[in-house]
Amino acid sequence: MAIMFGLMPSGCRKKVQTEVPLGLDEKAMTKLARIGHGLLVWERARLDKWGIWMKRLSGGAEKLLVPEEEGRDHFCPKLSPDGSLLAYMSYARGTHPYLSRRGLTGELCLMNLSTGRQLVLAEEARSYSEDRAVTWLNKREIAYIEGKGSTMRMHLSKGGKRQVINEAPDLFGYLPSPDLKHATSGTPEFAKLNKDGELTHQPELGGCQPYFTSDSRWGFWMRGAGGPITAMQLATRESKTIMMKDDPRLNTRRNYIYFPMVSPCMRLLAFAASADKHDHFEADYD
């Protein structure tokens, strides 16, 4: 199983073996790569182990990005705005950030992609439900959800942390937009976040996997199983469809879509696609 989860520029140019995924030949990969040097990151299960993998926009084979960790599984990868750092969650093997394991926590980790150095940022942290655990506020600050559910802001160089959302639900928690003006849990809502840390809740939108664009203008999410992917302009709450369910632009063998992520430059959308299979742990996603 492979779940697309991130899209970022990167300076990494190590030559890798060519591999062509379904419906995307080398000519198409070359055209895509002209947009800029970059890479995809995602979480994937291999031999009952969950790891974080990467692939270049210019093509080539996938490779394991975060080294395996004995007795641990890795989820929720998110690259920094400049592509130099990777935040991710490390859970005890057999646990994960999905609803059936609510209340359990993992370690929030950071990896320097140039040096490979890794460190634990928080010994007890959690996702907002499913596959998102941090917001990069800028290239050196993150917002994350601590073990008890409070949303914290942390500066990676200066150290220290402070709470930025006062509400801390029992099940998971909230992630803010980069400008700290909106927030959502794994249930799409896009609540208003006031300067004092209080949330002004909005009607739930239905669906799952909400997140924010890097400029904080848009929220996007899965509005239904397998599609559509929808975006909302947060200032007006007007919405539009990014990709339809069974979108005609997709190969019919892989047209059940999930796990959307907009690149920081906001020109590209990464997503997973399966052959009408939904299960996040058993289905085969490209």
Side-chain angles (χ1 to χ4, degrees):
M1 175 183 178
I3 298 176
M4 295 298 190
F5 196 72
L7 183 63
M8 275 301 308
S10 170
C12 183
R13 292 181 174 82
K14 184 179 178 181
K15 187 176 181 180
V16 290
Q17 183 179 356
T18 297
E19 180 179 282
V20 181
L22 174 67
L24 194 59
D25 58 21
E26 284 300 301
K27 184 177 179 180
M29 290 298 292
T30 301
K31 183 177 180 181
L32 180 63
R34 291 196 187 107
I35 296 172
H37 297 287
L39 58 91
L40 290 159
V41 296
W42 68 94
E43 57 191 38
R44 165 193 259 168
R46 281 281 178 90
L47 302 175
D48 296 323
K49 297 177 182 179
W50 281 86
I52 296 172
W53 291 67
M54 63 83 69
K55 183 182 181 75
R56 299 172 189 275
L57 289 185
S58 56
E62 304 100 336
K63 72 173 184 178
L64 186 67
L65 181 59
V66 178
E68 288 187 3
E69 188 179 2
E70 184 67 29
R72 311 288 294 186
D73 283 326
H74 299 149
F75 294 92
C76 306
K78 190 68 176 76
L79 287 155
S80 62
D82 62 0
S84 65
L85 302 172
L86 175 75
Y88 65 95
M89 291 291 298
S90 173
Y91 282 84
R93 184 150 297 156
T95 61
H96 52 72
Y98 284 74
L99 187 60
S100 63
R101 296 293 188 269
R102 59 186 178 272
L104 298 180
T105 63
E107 296 175 343
L108 176 62
C109 303
L110 187 74
M111 180 178 183
N112 185 307
L113 297 190
S114 296
T115 66
R117 181 171 177 262
Q118 298 165 263
L119 69 153
V120 176
L121 296 177
E123 292 185 353
E124 290 191 353
R126 59 176 69 183
S127 77
Y128 76 170
S129 176
E130 298 197 10
D131 51 11
R132 313 207 200 280
V134 302
T135 298
W136 284 92
L137 306 179
N138 52 60
K139 64 182 182 180
R140 288 297 179 268
E141 285 188 285
I142 63 167
Y144 73 98
I145 305 165
E146 68 171 5
K148 294 182 179 179
S150 299
T151 305
M152 312 299 291
R153 179 176 186 171
M154 175 187 290
H155 196 290
L156 302 179
S157 300
K158 299 178 182 178
K161 60 183 181 179
R162 64 182 179 88
Q163 188 169 339
V164 291
I165 299 178
N166 296 334
E167 192 169 329
D170 293 333
L171 292 182
F172 288 97
Y174 292 93
L175 287 176
S177 56
D179 65 359
L180 298 174
K181 292 184 178 180
H182 292 85
T184 187
S185 68
T187 300
E189 176 190 359
F190 305 122
K192 294 181 179 179
L193 177 57
N194 304 314
K195 291 183 178 180
D196 59 3
E198 296 295 326
L199 291 175
T200 302
H201 287 282
Q202 304 296 314
E204 291 184 1
L205 299 167
C208 60
Q209 297 164 7
Y211 206 59
F212 300 97
T213 55
S214 58
D215 64 359
S216 300
R217 291 183 58 197
W218 297 87
F220 59 93
W221 76 104
M222 292 299 308
R223 204 173 75 212
I229 300 173
T230 305
M232 172 182 285
Q233 192 167 9
L234 297 175
T236 64
R237 294 191 69 82
E238 296 179 359
S239 62
K240 65 177 182 179
T241 298
I242 300 176
M243 292 189 70
M244 296 182 290
K245 186 173 183 177
D246 298 321
D247 197 292
R249 293 169 291 184
L250 295 175
N251 188 302
T252 56
R253 290 177 291 166
R254 286 289 191 271
N255 61 356
Y256 189 94
I257 55 178
Y258 249 101
F259 311 104
M261 180 60 72
V262 177
S263 64
C265 65
M266 297 179 54
R267 292 178 293 173
L268 301 172
L269 172 73
F271 60 94
S274 76
D276 293 318
K277 302 296 183 181
H278 177 78
D279 190 284
H280 296 184
F281 293 89
E282 301 296 334
D284 181 17
Y285 283 94
D286 285 342

